Amino acid sequence: KKIFVKYSDGLEGTLSLKKLLARKEFEKLGKKSLEGELQIDPESGDVILFGEIKLCKVAMHEMLRLKKQMEKIGIFLNDE
Protein backbone atom coordinates (compact mmCIF):
# COMPACT_ATOMS: atom_id res chain seq x y z
CA LYS A 1 0.00 0.00 0.00
CA LYS A 2 1.31 3.39 -1.00
CA ILE A 3 0.27 6.99 -0.70
CA PHE A 4 1.10 9.91 -2.94
CA VAL A 5 2.00 13.12 -1.10
CA LYS A 6 2.60 16.60 -2.42
CA TYR A 7 4.05 19.42 -0.33
CA SER A 8 3.73 23.17 -0.79
CA ASP A 9 7.49 23.42 -1.46
CA GLY A 10 7.05 21.30 -4.61
CA LEU A 11 8.33 18.01 -3.19
CA GLU A 12 6.06 15.15 -4.19
CA GLY A 13 6.16 11.41 -4.54
CA THR A 14 4.97 8.05 -3.34
CA LEU A 15 5.64 6.55 0.06
CA SER A 16 5.07 2.90 0.89
CA LEU A 17 3.06 1.97 3.99
CA LYS A 18 3.78 -1.73 3.59
CA LYS A 19 6.23 -2.05 6.49
CA LEU A 20 4.13 0.10 8.80
CA LEU A 21 0.96 -1.88 8.15
CA ALA A 22 2.84 -5.18 8.49
CA ARG A 23 3.59 -4.42 12.14
CA LYS A 24 1.72 -6.67 14.55
CA GLU A 25 -0.25 -3.83 16.15
CA PHE A 26 -1.56 -2.74 12.73
CA GLU A 27 -2.01 -6.12 11.02
CA LYS A 28 -5.83 -5.88 11.07
CA LEU A 29 -5.66 -2.48 9.39
CA GLY A 30 -3.21 -3.71 6.77
CA LYS A 31 -5.93 -5.83 5.24
CA LYS A 32 -8.25 -2.84 4.74
CA SER A 33 -8.36 -0.66 1.66
CA LEU A 34 -6.92 2.84 2.01
CA GLU A 35 -9.72 4.28 -0.09
CA GLY A 36 -11.60 6.81 2.03
CA GLU A 37 -9.36 6.07 5.03
CA LEU A 38 -6.91 8.97 4.74
CA GLN A 39 -7.51 12.27 6.48
CA ILE A 40 -5.45 15.37 7.18
CA ASP A 41 -5.35 16.61 10.77
CA PRO A 42 -6.63 20.21 10.53
CA GLU A 43 -4.35 21.43 13.33
CA SER A 44 -1.05 19.68 12.58
CA GLY A 45 -1.39 18.86 8.89
CA ASP A 46 -0.33 15.27 9.63
CA VAL A 47 -1.84 12.36 7.70
CA ILE A 48 -4.23 10.14 9.67
CA LEU A 49 -4.86 6.56 8.50
CA PHE A 50 -8.00 4.69 9.50
CA GLY A 51 -8.74 7.37 12.10
CA GLU A 52 -6.02 5.87 14.31
CA ILE A 53 -2.50 6.12 12.90
CA LYS A 54 -0.95 9.58 12.73
CA LEU A 55 1.89 10.02 10.24
CA CYS A 56 4.07 13.05 10.93
CA LYS A 57 4.14 15.35 7.90
CA VAL A 58 7.70 16.47 8.71
CA ALA A 59 9.00 12.89 8.97
CA MET A 60 7.26 11.93 5.72
CA HIS A 61 8.74 15.01 4.00
CA GLU A 62 12.21 14.06 5.15
CA MET A 63 11.78 10.44 4.05
CA LEU A 64 10.63 11.56 0.62
CA ARG A 65 13.44 14.12 0.33
CA LEU A 66 16.05 11.48 1.15
CA LYS A 67 14.43 8.99 -1.24
CA LYS A 68 14.64 11.58 -4.04
CA GLN A 69 18.31 12.32 -3.24
CA MET A 70 19.14 8.63 -3.37
CA GLU A 71 17.41 8.27 -6.74
CA LYS A 72 19.48 11.17 -8.10
CA ILE A 73 22.67 9.22 -7.42
CA GLY A 74 21.27 5.95 -8.77
CA ILE A 75 20.16 4.24 -5.57
CA PHE A 76 16.60 2.96 -5.78
CA LEU A 77 14.70 1.53 -2.83
CA ASN A 78 12.54 -1.49 -3.30
CA ASP A 79 9.73 -0.10 -1.14
CA GLU A 80 6.78 -1.87 -2.67
Side-chain angles (χ1 to χ4, degrees):
K1 296 185 177 183
K2 297 179 181 185
I3 59 172
F4 177 82
V5 292
K6 185 174 183 178
Y7 290 89
S8 59
D9 65 359
L11 182 66
E12 63 182 51
T14 304
L15 292 172
S16 174
L17 302 175
K18 184 178 179 180
K19 288 183 182 177
L20 173 72
L21 295 174
R23 293 176 58 151
K24 186 175 182 173
E25 58 266 38
F26 301 129
E27 65 187 349
K28 289 179 190 173
L29 298 175
K31 295 173 183 162
K32 288 182 159 184
S33 168
L34 289 177
E35 190 171 330
E37 297 292 345
L38 295 173
Q39 301 169 351
I40 302 296
D41 184 297
E43 292 181 21
S44 68
D46 293 336
V47 174
I48 301 173
L49 299 174
F50 306 112
E52 297 181 45
I53 306 169
K54 193 175 220 181
L55 303 176
C56 175
K57 68 179 180 194
V58 176
M60 290 186 354
H61 185 281
E62 192 62 13
M63 288 171 56
L64 189 55
R65 187 185 67 77
L66 291 171
K67 182 179 173 184
K68 296 285 185 179
Q69 285 183 338
M70 292 172 65
E71 288 171 358
K72 281 184 181 178
I73 61 170
I75 301 171
F76 297 91
L77 296 176
N78 182 10
D79 62 349
E80 294 181 17

